[in-house]
Amino acid sequence: MSLLVRQQQTIELVKERGYVSIDELAQYFSVTPQTVRRDINQLADAGLLRRYHGGAAIDSSVMNTEYSMRLSYNLEAKQRIAKAVAATIPNHASIFINIGTTTEAIAHALLHHHGLKIITNNLNVAKILSVKEDFEVMIASGRVRPDGGVIGQATADFFSLFKADYAVIGISGIDEDGALLDFDFQEVAVSKVIIANSKHVLLVADSSKFGRHAMMRLGHLNMIECLYTDQKPDEQYMQIMSENNVTLVVAR
């Protein structure tokens, strides 16, 4: 198979699936992972797809990657972030947790805590945490998305009834100017209410979220207290965080 045909089929596969790993592409084309990496690098440099650690995705500002792909992508990094966040949150705290696969990893990491009160619009988070008898888990009402996220005006109104110690916020992208971005305007509306009603706002974002574009603006890095990620971001992000007294935690 020629290089041009292989790269064209790579683009088609990524468009179809949302995200494809290097190992999957190597097996599909019967080539080495090194060959696939070279293809992805060339396509990414041409702006035809987005290069990720371990694979590639289409860089769309209007459509998020499928939930099944997001769940497995960068899983080890998300688990490290989750462990770092769990170490920050004390027992017997109240916590808002929003939609996202990283926040779901954090829910697993919180199972060793005691006496937590959790308010969430993520059905997956609620299911994970409800197994603890000493936890109180409250789920917001609203429209349920296929990925288990609950959104809508009723969801936002529910969160406005509380004032929590911590908000654990996942995000789809962080722009170079510090803007926090997501794909669903109803999800963004709920997250804004969560942030407004929290004493401490913890943003969780693996390294792939830096520079990733999404259409809806949630806010800015200056709205958060601490950012948890798996790699130190580029200098422009470091400067924004320094100017706004945002603490950076790089989970190792």
Side-chain angles (χ1 to χ4, degrees):
M1 181 182 294
S2 70
L3 171 63
L4 182 61
V5 172
R6 188 175 65 243
Q7 290 187 343
Q8 182 59 46
Q9 290 189 12
T10 296
I11 294 171
E12 293 172 358
L13 282 168
V14 173
K15 285 182 177 179
E16 177 185 336
R17 302 183 188 181
Y19 170 84
V20 183
S21 72
I22 288 173
D23 289 341
E24 288 174 315
L25 289 169
Q27 184 175 8
Y28 184 86
F29 293 118
S30 299
V31 297
T32 66
Q34 290 75 18
T35 298
V36 172
R37 289 191 185 93
R38 285 195 295 269
D39 287 352
I40 289 174
N41 286 338
Q42 291 176 15
L43 293 169
D45 291 342
L48 297 174
L49 49 74
R50 182 175 173 85
R51 180 174 47 233
Y52 285 93
H53 176 71
I58 292 297
D59 191 11
S60 170
S61 65
V62 297
M63 183 180 298
N64 203 357
T65 308
E66 288 291 331
Y67 174 74
S68 60
M69 300 294 180
R70 287 185 279 131
L71 191 63
S72 58
Y73 174 68
N74 238 1
L75 181 58
E76 184 181 350
K78 292 172 185 176
Q79 290 171 340
R80 295 202 307 270
I81 292 168
K83 185 178 179 180
V85 172
T88 299
I89 295 175
N91 292 323
H92 306 287
S94 56
I95 315 167
F96 290 140
I97 303 179
N98 79 341
I99 301 169
T101 55
T102 305
T103 57
E104 291 169 21
I106 290 164
H108 283 290
L110 289 171
L111 289 173
H112 300 291
H113 280 56
H114 301 285
L116 297 180
K117 294 184 182 294
I118 301 101
I119 306 100
T120 184
N121 62 326
N122 188 329
L123 293 178
N124 302 311
V125 165
K127 182 178 180 180
I128 292 164
L129 293 173
S130 62
V131 301
K132 285 293 295 286
E133 293 184 0
D134 63 329
F135 284 7
E136 182 179 345
V137 180
M138 289 172 277
I139 184 76
S141 62
R143 181 171 69 85
V144 180
R145 300 191 320 199
D147 64 356
V150 182
I151 55 175
Q153 187 58 50
T155 316
D157 291 344
F158 180 78
F159 277 105
S160 69
L161 298 174
F162 303 92
K163 185 76 174 183
D165 297 323
Y166 294 89
V168 177
I169 300 292
I171 198 71
S172 292
I174 306 175
D175 203 9
E176 288 84 355
D177 64 0
L180 307 178
L181 305 173
D182 226 314
F183 292 93
D184 188 327
F185 77 93
Q186 293 187 81
E187 178 181 354
V188 163
V190 172
S191 294
K192 286 182 177 180
V193 174
I194 289 175
I195 290 172
N197 289 281
S198 305
K199 296 177 183 177
H200 305 286
V201 180
L202 313 181
L203 180 68
V204 296
D206 68 69
S207 54
S208 70
K209 304 300 175 62
F210 291 95
R212 187 184 185 208
H213 301 292
M215 188 175 177
M216 305 306 303
R217 180 186 292 269
L218 167 59
H220 190 270
L221 281 169
N222 60 17
M223 300 169 63
I224 70 166
E225 179 177 323
C226 190
L227 169 61
Y228 293 78
T229 188
D230 59 302
Q231 295 181 30
K232 184 179 178 181
D234 292 341
E235 184 56 37
Q236 68 264 35
Y237 298 105
M238 297 299 296
Q239 183 175 346
I240 293 170
M241 287 187 283
S242 176
E243 291 171 351
N244 292 281
N245 298 314
V246 177
T247 300
L248 174 68
V249 175
V250 179
R252 302 297 186 184

